[in-house]
């Protein structure tokens, strides 16, 4: 572990001010992702800024929907009665993630910002375009069984966000509130927050240097109340998804009035599928409809040597999730 200094910030202005003066500093909340990266010598920060004292908390129903503070812990949000009743996909995505110990520590903001679990990124002995732009991507020809088949490029095929929560948030049209070093806030739809790798895979989000995630807002809709999150993984617990699906349906009289579909584990970012949604709306809520939507969702997939199985796996995962909510 490299030496670093530690500061506990009492206000957002203080926290962002430190980052403004020391751009290489990093914010730390639960620390469950950051410390892993530092211990593996994948990230080096001369200073850590503890933001646990910042007032970015609360789980509350507003006129615009559900507001979740970025400093709330995963376990508290996942177990919250309001979240479980009105936004089940969000609750399920949190309670299927990590372990109870990690969920008790990890913050919502930190979860949204967690980085890829690609083995080549996590091992400094290998080149990686995310760590060192232009160094190459050994996953293209190497072990890529758990990597992306949607949104890939010749520079990167990693599932840049490996978690669960943001897949549900993407499906439910969540909006992030961000605060910059000048104290100004902006709102960014989470569908726009994550970036495709293209030729710059080191740029994973639109977050500006020093900017903080303040809160998450999820609109209250019929398809949010009738939603679910389904996760398929290599073992029953404490594993990242090979494929997952977050779906929400508004069904009236057996016909689908609106639909939301997002996939995890198969895209270079949490993958919203307007193709699947278009195939669902106006159609009967039947397995045949759901299979047509699943085929549409994976039509643009570009599997590599070891992850071709993910096409069928993702399709079946999506179908099962849709059957559950229907």
């Amino acid at each position: 572990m490299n030496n670093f200094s530690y500061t506990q910030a009492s206000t957002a202005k203080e926290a962002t001010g430190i980052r403004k003066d020391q751009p290489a500093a990093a914010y730390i909340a639960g620390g469950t992702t950051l410390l892993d990266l530092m211990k593996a010598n994948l990230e080096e920060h001369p200073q850590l800024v503890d933001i646990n004292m910042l007032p970015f908390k609360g789980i509350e129903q507003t006129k615009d929907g559900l507001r979740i503070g970025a400093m709330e812990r995963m376990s508290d949000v996942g177990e919250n009665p309001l979240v479980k009743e009105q936004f089940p996909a969000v609750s399920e995505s949190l309670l299927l993630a990590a372990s109870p110990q990690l969920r008790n520590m990890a913050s919502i903001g930190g979860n949204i910002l967690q980085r890829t679990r690609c083995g080549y990124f996590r091992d400094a002995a290998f080149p990686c375009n995310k760590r060192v732009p232009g160094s190459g991507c050994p996953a293209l020809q190497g072990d890529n069984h758990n990597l992306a088949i949607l949104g890939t490029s010749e520079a990167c095929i990693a599932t840049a966000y490996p978690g669960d929560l943001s897949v549900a948030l993407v499906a439910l049209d969540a909006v992030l509130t961000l605060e910059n070093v000048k104290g100004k806030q902006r709102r960014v739809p989470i569908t726009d927050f994550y970036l495709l790798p293209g030729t710059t895979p080191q740029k994973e989000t639109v977050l500006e240097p020093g900017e903080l995630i303040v809160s998450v807002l999820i609109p209250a809709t019929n398809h949010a109340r009738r939603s679910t999150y389904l996760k398929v993984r290599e073992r029953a617990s404490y594993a990242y998804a090979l494929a997952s699906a977050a779906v929400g349906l508004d069904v009236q009289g057996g016909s689908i009035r609106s639909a939301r579909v997002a996939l995890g584990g198969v895209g270079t970012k949490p993958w919203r599928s307007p193709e699947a949604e278009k195939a669902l709306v106006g159609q009967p809520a039947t397995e045949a409809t759901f299979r047509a939507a699943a085929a549409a969702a994976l039509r643009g997939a570009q599997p590599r040597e070891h992850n071709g199985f993910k096409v069928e796996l993702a399709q079946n995962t999506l179908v099962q999730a849709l059957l559950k909510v229907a």
Side-chain angles (χ1 to χ4, degrees), residues 209-249:
E211 207 167 25
L212 283 163
I213 300 176
V214 173
S215 64
V216 181
L217 179 68
I218 311 171
T221 60
N222 288 336
H223 51 256
R225 287 187 289 273
R226 192 169 184 168
S227 64
T228 194
Y229 179 77
L230 182 61
K231 179 178 182 178
V232 178
R233 45 193 165 177
E234 290 180 322
R235 56 179 184 270
S237 65
Y238 195 30
Y240 290 89
L242 287 173
S244 66
V247 302
L249 294 179

Side-chain angles (χ1 to χ4, degrees), residues 61-66 86-87 172 218-225:
Q61 187 81 56
T62 72
K63 62 180 179 64
D64 297 317
L66 179 72
Q86 298 293 323
F87 306 87
L172 300 184
I218 311 171
T221 60
N222 288 336
H223 51 256
R225 287 187 289 273

